[in-house]
Amino acid sequence: MKPPKLALASPLAAIGVLFASTFAVSAAPLPLFENGRTDWVAVLPEGSDCILTRAANEFADTVERVSGARIPIVGERPVEGSAILFTTFADGSDDEHLLARLVDDTTFEISGNSSRATLHTALRFLKEQLGVRWLWYGEDGAFYPTLKEACEAR
């Protein structure tokens, strides 16, 4: 079985995939975090299964460990502000498909064609864009770099 491919918008700018330069934006996009603060919320749809819930929690927990900024997890998108959407999509495939994309300058989507694929998308984003490494199971097997700002692709 081939490893899943992560579809990322390229070329990449702020936080790797959060702000793809192929999108026309009127204002400078917000970084995912800066100096221990974030203006983003994670949106986890009501009734999400335990794997999709783990994806959002793992993402928020890891960003907090790396930056000190806690991304709140909410059940529905706020009217204003920037949101990271944790979703799944149906594509009729048995293969795992991962997608991390900027929808517009205030909406970032982390998704897959199953809840497990969405979890893998979140973990791959954390690894490739923030430099987090999981070497073996447990706290001793994880490496979390300390970052002040996430604004450029690695």
Side-chain angles (χ1 to χ4, degrees):
M1 184 168 146
K2 297 180 286 185
K5 293 188 178 183
L6 178 61
L8 298 175
S10 288
L12 302 177
I15 187 90
V17 295
L18 273 182
F19 311 109
S21 64
T22 56
F23 289 92
V25 291
S26 55
L30 293 172
L32 181 61
F33 56 82
E34 189 171 23
N35 297 320
R37 296 182 38 90
T38 185
D39 292 321
W40 291 83
V41 298
V43 179
L44 185 64
E46 296 289 330
S48 295
D49 65 26
C50 63
I51 298 171
L52 199 58
T53 301
R54 179 173 175 215
N57 284 321
E58 190 73 38
F59 189 89
D61 292 346
T62 302
V63 167
E64 184 174 28
R65 287 199 68 160
V66 166
S67 69
R70 180 68 186 174
I71 296 175
I73 299 173
V74 299
E76 72 180 56
R77 178 161 187 166
V79 175
E80 294 182 8
S82 300
I84 304 164
L85 309 178
F86 287 84
T87 63
T88 60
F89 58 86
D91 68 356
S93 173
D94 290 336
D95 293 333
E96 191 171 72
H97 294 121
L98 313 180
L99 177 66
R101 71 184 182 114
L102 183 69
V103 177
D104 58 43
D105 56 338
T106 62
T107 308
F108 181 63
E109 179 182 10
I110 293 178
S111 63
N113 64 335
S114 67
S115 294
R116 185 181 79 163
T118 300
L119 173 62
H120 291 166
T121 304
L123 296 175
R124 184 170 289 177
F125 177 89
L126 294 167
K127 177 184 174 190
E128 292 178 1
Q129 302 305 320
L130 299 184
V132 176
R133 298 290 184 259
W134 293 274
L135 306 171
W136 58 82
Y137 185 75
E139 284 297 309
D140 292 339
F143 168 74
Y144 300 95
T146 302
L147 303 173
K148 286 187 162 217
E149 182 179 65
C151 64
E152 292 186 19
R154 294 186 160 272

